[in-house]
Amino acid sequence: MSEEPAHHDCIVIGAGFSGLAVLHHLLAAGFDAVGVDRNDAVGGTWLVNRYPGVRTDSDFPIYSFSFPVAVREEWTWSEQYPTGAEVLAYLQFLANRLGLIDHIQFGREVVRAEYSEHAGLWRVDFASGPSMTCTYLVSCMGILDAPMWPDIPGRDTFAGELLHTADWPVPGVELAGRTVGLIGLGSSGIQIMPLLARDSAALYVFQREPNYVVESSFPAVSAEQMAHIRRTYDDIWRRAAAHPFGVDMVIPEFGADEVSAERRRLIFESKWQEGGHHFANETFHDLATDPRASEHAAEFIRSKIRQIVHDPATAELLSPRRYSFNGKRVPTGHGYYAAYNLPHVHLVDVRTTPIDEVVPAGLRVGARTYPCDVLVCATGFDAMTGPLTRIDIVGRDGRVLREAWRTGVRTNLGLSVHGFPNLLLSLGPQTPYSNLPVPIQLGAQWMARALTFARDHQIVLEATAQSEQWWAEEVERTGRATVMYEEGAKAGAWFLGANVPGKRRELLVYMGGGQVYQQHCMQAELEQYRSFRAQG
Ligand code: N01
């Protein structure tokens, strides 16, 4: 006779930022909650994306949680934009300090989850090991858990070392004396490129669509700074939670066309010097909403590229012309443009002449074969929906999530899907475009309260069809009010699903602002989750 699967109140899938926050708050609310993760340690995205140069592009105080105070007091950051290794160490510290580690099963890859209406529970199946059941299932799989390889024929024939930034080997890859090819220039490719340039004998960078890169250094955090942050942390957190993009930055007073051309240049220059997302968020308030303002920022960055890159033809090739600033998620560079001045670094335009195939010796582009010992793909992710649609999530009446979303993503606030009772999503599609720890923490706290209410009142949480319709319209309406919609379509942005061949083009994030989103979540709570009670 087969044994009954182990049962828990809640199963939390994933042990990265989201999984740790949700698990902590569910345990604190008295649930019997268990975390499962396919990896062998906590960290999620930060555990697997360990390529050289990986670091956050958010200032350190807001790339962490405000809970609990003990962790804030004990944890010390060392650089303004912490390295991936330091972020990973923070997550491991958090998991150990809060005792979460004892509630997580590692090496447990979920392949299927199916809801039984009759039993009122989810059965979760794994690639190996026994199945489990739960009353509440929470997906914390992150937005970037489904890496994509480039759709170029011949990949399997490559005789050298083939790598993806999202699956970087530990302890690393020997590059000295080797010729390296790099495909992909989003945030990952832009971070790894200067280090590949530093360490290799020759580097070929294969560029399709250039990006607007905001350059930045990463100054050390002093003891005084850390002490000040600890003293004022509650205010920092409050300001970040009130900001549309979840950052502790001041919303500028003026639009880009409300000042003279010279004043505009000076403001752009001062924030360019400050570096990183300060340029995007603290220059003018309309860079994300007015195409003219976004084009002013674009032209400023093009002028910087011309200043930094010595070869005019390379500078021009690096300058985006087909879309304006904010059309793609803005990447931070650390010596990115300057690295093109090194004599052994070669930029190859694969927009005009696309890559034909991977051959054993390297990459064939038109009549020329570029030799590579190592080929690095920084080619991105099937973002937002990919982690949820590549496994079988089967809801009421045998409805499969992947099929339900084939005609368009539908959620209530990105948290719940009609037809999938007692399934909650952390960072589901249609949640805010933001510095992520802020919506992750607020979402985890919302979930703990919602599930407590559901448990205490014996109700099932499931988005109503009407709420999904409302939220889809809100996502569309607010998205169309930004430049991301049209410029993102031109740029092939992942937040529109435009980077995945065959994927439906639709806005996968909420662009209406994190603070507005939180008000909607609060309203749902005040209404005792009426829009999450499809079953009466
Ligand atoms: O991926 P991407 P990413 N031939 O999709 C190219 C987060 N993140 O991993 O633009 C040639 O942005 C593709 O070219 P094109 C952050 O949210 C954060 O870099 O389609 N090129 C593009 O250049 C970020 O937005 C940090 O023409 C091909 C690249 O691959 C998200 O992750 C660090 C190709 C993919 O860029 C994704 O970033 C890293 C082909 N056949 C990542 N196929 C932080 O700093 C694809 N490309 C916190």
Side-chain angles (χ1 to χ4, degrees), residues 65-92:
F65 296 129
S66 76
F67 71 84
V69 174
V71 170
R72 274 157 46 182
E73 291 297 316
E74 292 166 27
W75 180 259
T76 299
W77 293 104
S78 70
E79 288 176 345
Q80 181 178 356
Y81 301 106
T83 61
E86 193 167 8
V87 175
L88 186 58
Y90 165 75
L91 292 174
Q92 291 173 345

Side-chain angles (χ1 to χ4, degrees), residues 55 144 184-188 191 208-209 328-329 380-381 494:
R55 56 175 71 241
L144 301 173
L185 291 169
S187 299
S188 307
Q191 286 187 329
R208 208 162 56 180
E209 193 67 62
K328 288 192 175 210
R329 183 185 177 281
F381 304 85
W494 60 255

Side-chain angles (χ1 to χ4, degrees), residues 147 224 368 428 435 457 530:
E224 294 74 40
R368 184 165 171 193
N435 165 52
H457 294 81
R530 195 159 43 91

Side-chain angles (χ1 to χ4, degrees), residues 45-46 49 51 54-58 63 143-144 148-152 164-166 183-191 206-211 323 328-332 350-351 355 377-381 383 433 436 491-494 498-499:
T45 298
W46 293 98
N49 285 266
Y51 57 84
V54 62
R55 56 175 71 241
T56 100
D57 52 13
S58 297
Y63 207 73
I143 65 171
L144 301 173
M148 294 217 316
W149 289 93
D151 52 344
I152 303 169
H164 196 293
T165 43
I183 305 176
L185 291 169
S187 299
S188 307
I190 281 155
Q191 286 187 329
F206 300 94
Q207 173 188 271
R208 208 162 56 180
E209 193 67 62
N211 232 314
Y323 68 99
K328 288 192 175 210
R329 183 185 177 281
V330 178
T332 300
V350 296
R351 160 166 297 292
I355 302 170
C377 295
T379 39
F381 304 85
Y433 188 61
L436 293 178
W494 60 255
N499 64 324

Side-chain angles (χ1 to χ4, degrees), residues 117-262:
E117 180 113 57
H118 162 71
L121 47 80
W122 285 89
R123 178 192 168 98
V124 181
D125 298 328
F126 300 88
S128 63
S131 300
M132 297 197 282
T133 60
C134 60
T135 309
Y136 306 112
L137 181 62
V138 188
S139 166
C140 293
M141 291 188 281
I143 65 171
L144 301 173
D145 196 43
M148 294 217 316
W149 289 93
D151 52 344
I152 303 169
R155 196 156 38 94
D156 297 341
T157 69
F158 185 56
E161 204 167 349
L162 181 67
L163 300 163
H164 196 293
T165 43
D167 186 19
W168 200 259
V170 176
V173 180
E174 182 57 57
L175 296 176
R178 301 174 88 186
T179 297
V180 177
L182 170 63
I183 305 176
L185 291 169
S187 299
S188 307
I190 281 155
Q191 286 187 329
I192 199 173
M193 183 270 177
L195 293 161
L196 296 178
R198 186 194 68 189
D199 295 339
S200 63
L203 174 65
Y204 292 106
V205 181
F206 300 94
Q207 173 188 271
R208 208 162 56 180
E209 193 67 62
N211 232 314
Y212 293 101
V213 180
V214 286
E215 289 282 356
S216 181
S217 58
F218 35 88
V221 177
S222 67
E224 294 74 40
Q225 233 180 322
M226 202 62 231
H228 177 71
I229 296 292
R230 288 197 181 108
R231 275 197 309 277
T232 56
Y233 195 85
D234 287 332
D235 291 336
I236 293 172
W237 179 264
R238 240 191 316 278
R239 288 193 298 267
H243 191 284
F245 298 124
V247 291
D248 179 18
M249 292 190 193
V250 178
I251 296 175
E253 200 178 334
F254 296 109
D257 270 320
E258 291 175 283
V259 298
S260 69
E262 179 55 11

